[in-house]
Amino acid sequence: MTADTPATHLSIAIIGTRGVPPVYGGFETFAAELGTRLAARGHDVTVYCRASLYSGEGSSWNGVARIELPAIRHKYFETVSHSLLSALDAFRRNFDVAIVCNAANAFVLPLLRVGRTPVAINVDGIERNRRKWNALGRFVYLMGEAFSAHFADRLIADAEVIAHYYRNHFAIEPDVLAYGSGFPEEADSDVLARLGLEERKYVLYVSRFEPENNPEAVVDAYAKVRGSVPLVMVGDAPYADELIKRLEATTDSRVLFPGALYGPDYRTLQRNALLYIQATEVGGTHPALIEAMSSGGAVLANDTPENREVGGDAVRYFRLGSGQTLTALMQESLDDPGALDVYRTMARDRARSTYDWSVVTDRYETLLFEVAGAGVR
């Protein structure tokens, strides 16, 4: 690409996720969904992947190039070490533009700028508020926020709540680009039979088992619910062994822990759940929440500004901590499941109208052309 020749396609690097195919969480889903759509539009998309999580995946996936690099296997160094190696590799490849994911990775922005790679950063939520971080971890994220605001060509917030934070603290105007949602037309997998579940006769929780996602609070609230409907706790997390041990030590035989599930198994569980529980307290737009809404799920969400921004009137909200209301809402839903149908319809309609991946891709494509200095086709 030259300054006087508008590009019709871009070479794009996505840095800061665990990689594709998605096998962990929100940023991995983002890289997969956005990356494959941009590639289908003729762009050259490269996603940097952590070698420790993949084996034999090959150099490409669904039209997206994959570069596997190592990382230091440590709670505080895995993300930043992989992103540093990714930025060093990108430095020599002359990408037209890069997307960096997560404010914790913002320290690579000056390096990319030295390499003359225009860059946009998706900062995610206010990550330093996560309970898993100690004082050093929170400080690193605070510095990441400052680096994001001062060294990125464009800062992307996935929710207006996050954009408001950056406006107030750094006097910049972020681009607000939400995640997309959508479930493919497909037959259900056999996951219900494997887990001994029946359609519309289980409650579903999907998230990383980390303190700020409140898996223990969900299990504790469910313990007070009457009846035999199972609670299916889908998730896992590195460096959270003690939390996982406490969860799996529950004596309530109604609670199932199938581990982390992806692809058709995950989508089958979403489509067929009686209730979906979103208990996160930190972050912006959570992909699992909008995916649950898109699947026609009846959602109960933790009452945070971010979750209310996504769910609107299509979701019912609960409080945790002192005076928690999750137990009462779950019991009410189990006692009168027919009353959930109106929320299913509203949730599906809201997800499809507000969080459509085609529209999200259009907006990212426009932004990336602008960041790369190529203009818009």
Side-chain angles (χ1 to χ4, degrees):
M1 182 181 71
T2 63
D4 56 354
T5 305
T8 58
H9 76 279
L10 299 170
S11 60
I12 303 164
I14 300 179
I15 296 170
T17 79
R18 289 164 179 81
V20 293
V23 292
Y24 191 71
F27 270 136
E28 289 68 43
T29 299
F30 165 77
E33 296 287 354
L34 180 65
T36 55
R37 284 170 171 79
L38 289 172
R41 297 183 182 196
H43 302 289
D44 298 321
V45 181
T46 298
V47 176
Y48 283 89
C49 308
R50 296 185 194 176
S52 61
L53 298 179
Y54 296 95
S55 176
E57 292 289 348
S59 60
S60 66
W61 174 79
N62 288 0
V64 174
R66 302 175 66 260
I67 296 177
E68 294 184 11
L69 294 172
I72 298 172
R73 297 284 293 182
H74 186 277
K75 177 179 179 179
Y76 292 104
F77 302 119
E78 183 169 350
T79 294
V80 294
S81 63
H82 183 261
S83 295
L84 176 60
L85 291 177
S86 300
L88 288 170
D89 184 85
F91 188 90
R92 63 185 181 84
R93 292 182 184 269
N94 298 317
F95 290 107
D96 293 325
V97 62
I99 303 172
V100 172
C101 297
N102 196 334
N105 294 317
F107 72 95
V108 306
L109 296 176
L111 176 61
L112 292 169
R113 293 192 68 164
V114 168
R116 299 183 182 276
T117 301
V119 60
I121 186 166
N122 184 323
V123 294
D124 200 23
I126 312 304
E127 295 294 298
R128 61 189 170 87
N129 290 337
R130 291 187 182 274
R131 283 183 268 157
K132 68 179 179 179
W133 300 122
N134 61 16
L136 175 61
R138 289 191 290 273
F139 176 77
V140 168
Y141 266 106
L142 180 61
M143 291 299 97
E145 293 171 6
F147 270 54
S148 299
H150 293 295
F151 290 106
D153 293 285
R154 299 281 276 273
L155 187 148
I156 301 168
D158 62 33
E160 182 59 36
V161 172
I162 308 304
H164 180 73
Y165 171 85
Y166 277 88
R167 289 189 198 105
N168 284 351
H169 286 77
F170 299 102
I172 64 168
E173 187 56 46
D175 292 273
V176 183
L177 280 68
Y179 290 122
S181 71
F183 267 52
E185 296 293 331
E186 62 182 357
D188 286 347
S189 77
D190 65 349
V191 68
L192 297 186
R194 296 200 320 264
L195 297 179
L197 301 172
E198 298 180 58
E199 180 182 345
R200 296 287 186 256
K201 293 184 178 181
Y202 60 92
V203 176
L204 179 65
Y205 167 101
V206 180
S207 195
R208 294 195 299 272
F209 289 167
E210 295 180 340
E212 61 276 0
N213 295 337
N214 291 295
E216 287 184 288
V218 172
V219 171
D220 290 344
Y222 171 79
K224 304 177 182 70
V225 171
R226 302 182 305 275
S228 59
V229 172
L231 169 64
V232 184
M233 300 287 293
V234 173
D236 201 348
Y239 316 118
D241 293 344
E242 291 303 315
L243 174 57
I244 293 172
K245 286 179 181 177
R246 291 198 303 272
L247 285 168
E248 294 181 346
T250 179
T251 58
D252 193 331
S253 62
R254 301 173 300 169
V255 182
L256 306 180
F257 294 95
L261 297 173
Y262 304 97
D265 283 352
Y266 163 74
R267 293 190 292 270
T268 296
L269 286 172
Q270 286 277 34
R271 273 192 296 266
N272 292 287
L274 173 65
L275 278 177
Y276 173 77
I277 310 297
Q278 180 74 27
T280 50
E281 63 186 50
V282 176
T285 300
H286 293 281
L289 173 55
I290 54 176
E291 287 164 355
M293 293 166 60
S294 181
S295 74
V299 179
L300 304 182
N302 194 8
D303 195 356
T304 67
E306 297 91 336
N307 288 341
R308 280 193 175 270
E309 182 177 333
V310 173
D313 294 335
V315 167
R316 301 181 74 189
Y317 301 93
F318 58 84
R319 297 187 306 274
L320 292 175
S322 178
Q324 67 90 2
T325 59
L326 179 55
T327 297
L329 274 178
M330 284 194 286
Q331 191 68 66
E332 180 182 322
S333 301
L334 295 177
D335 290 344
D336 186 11
L340 300 175
D341 290 343
V342 63
Y343 290 101
R344 297 185 193 284
T345 300
M346 291 169 61
R348 183 186 289 112
D349 291 346
R350 182 175 177 84
R352 291 178 177 177
S353 64
T354 307
Y355 299 101
D356 180 85
W357 264 119
S358 295
V359 175
V360 172
T361 303
D362 288 343
R363 296 188 64 194
Y364 264 96
E365 186 178 36
T366 298
L367 181 143
L368 291 172
F369 269 111
E370 293 171 355
V371 172
V376 182
R377 286 176 295 175

